[in-house]
Amino acid sequence: TTIWMDTIRNGTFGLSNTNKLLKSYQGITGLKTGSTGLAKYCLSATARRNDMDMIAVILGAEEGKVRFAEAQTLLTYGFSICDLYIDEDPEKPAPMLLDGGLKDTVGLLYKDEFRYLDTKGNNLDYVQKFMELPAMVEAPVKAGDVAGYAIYTLDGKELGRVPIIYGETVEKAGYGDYFLRILQEFLL
């Protein structure tokens, strides 16, 4: 969908893309043109800028040139009003204290990357992140289960949250495990 011209069957047939935006619009990634007598001229155009993907769909344009001009207008408008916040390099959560487990702590991970698309012109430099995690949990814990959340806010309003999950499974300690711990402490 992004190639302007190509050949197939060892150069026997030449193909050219009918999406004229490929040569004239910055960031265009495709997608599909079409026309019939009933549907008229149609276009689904996609573009990517600053980690944002936009799509413009034009149906029933009277002329082929109109569909490209309208799609370009829609894409430009979308990119002009949207701003994307990505927490690309979040600080790794500190291990959580574990009560009654085979280990004293359990590692934590972010389940997903946080992304927020703003369409209101807010200054995303002021996004704040708060951790909502208990100080300690009771064993057992299972890898992948939710331990808490990273909550993202702007001007006191929550934008979204990302689950923080246990990075490993830690079983509950039994009497034998406690006995071995005491023995190791005594011998060391």
Side-chain angles (χ1 to χ4, degrees):
T1 60
T2 59
I3 298 171
W4 176 249
M5 296 184 88
D6 204 353
T7 59
I8 59 172
R9 298 199 180 200
N10 296 326
T12 306
F13 297 102
L15 299 173
S16 65
N17 197 320
T18 56
N19 184 352
K20 306 298 182 210
L21 294 177
L22 286 174
K23 293 180 89 175
S24 63
Y25 192 79
Q26 177 197 355
I28 198 79
T29 57
L31 187 62
K32 178 75 175 108
T33 63
S35 62
T36 66
L38 187 59
K40 301 187 181 167
Y41 294 92
C42 304
L43 171 66
S44 294
T46 58
R48 181 176 185 83
R49 289 185 189 166
N50 302 322
D51 291 323
M52 284 189 290
D53 292 299
M54 296 280 171
I55 183 167
V57 178
I58 307 299
L59 303 172
E62 293 296 325
E63 297 177 15
K65 290 181 180 180
V66 171
R67 66 181 166 187
F68 298 117
E70 292 296 323
Q72 185 169 337
T73 299
L74 284 173
L75 291 169
T76 300
Y77 174 72
F79 286 121
S80 72
I81 67 162
C82 294
D83 195 12
L84 184 63
Y85 175 85
I86 304 172
D87 190 1
E88 293 176 329
D89 192 21
E91 183 178 315
K92 186 175 179 180
M96 183 180 288
L97 292 174
L98 193 57
D99 185 34
L102 291 175
K103 296 174 68 177
D104 293 332
T105 61
V106 60
L108 301 174
L109 306 168
Y110 291 91
K111 184 174 182 182
D112 299 304
E113 177 182 71
F114 180 75
R115 292 173 168 251
Y116 174 74
L117 182 67
D118 181 71
T119 58
K120 295 184 168 101
N122 292 308
N123 185 347
L124 299 181
D125 291 336
Y126 296 104
V127 171
Q128 294 182 310
K129 176 171 61 173
F130 301 97
M131 305 298 252
E132 187 177 86
L133 290 166
M136 180 183 284
V137 292
E138 188 132 345
V141 296
K142 183 179 175 190
D145 283 355
V146 175
Y149 295 92
I151 301 170
Y152 296 82
T153 63
L154 181 64
D155 296 329
K157 179 184 170 195
E158 184 175 323
L159 302 177
R161 53 180 59 206
V162 173
I164 296 175
I165 59 174
Y166 299 113
E168 58 187 318
T169 298
V170 180
E171 299 296 333
K172 187 173 181 89
Y175 292 117
D177 299 310
Y178 287 117
F179 178 73
L180 286 174
R181 274 192 197 171
I182 292 170
L183 188 60
Q184 287 175 340
E185 293 279 331
F186 181 72
L187 294 176
L188 295 176

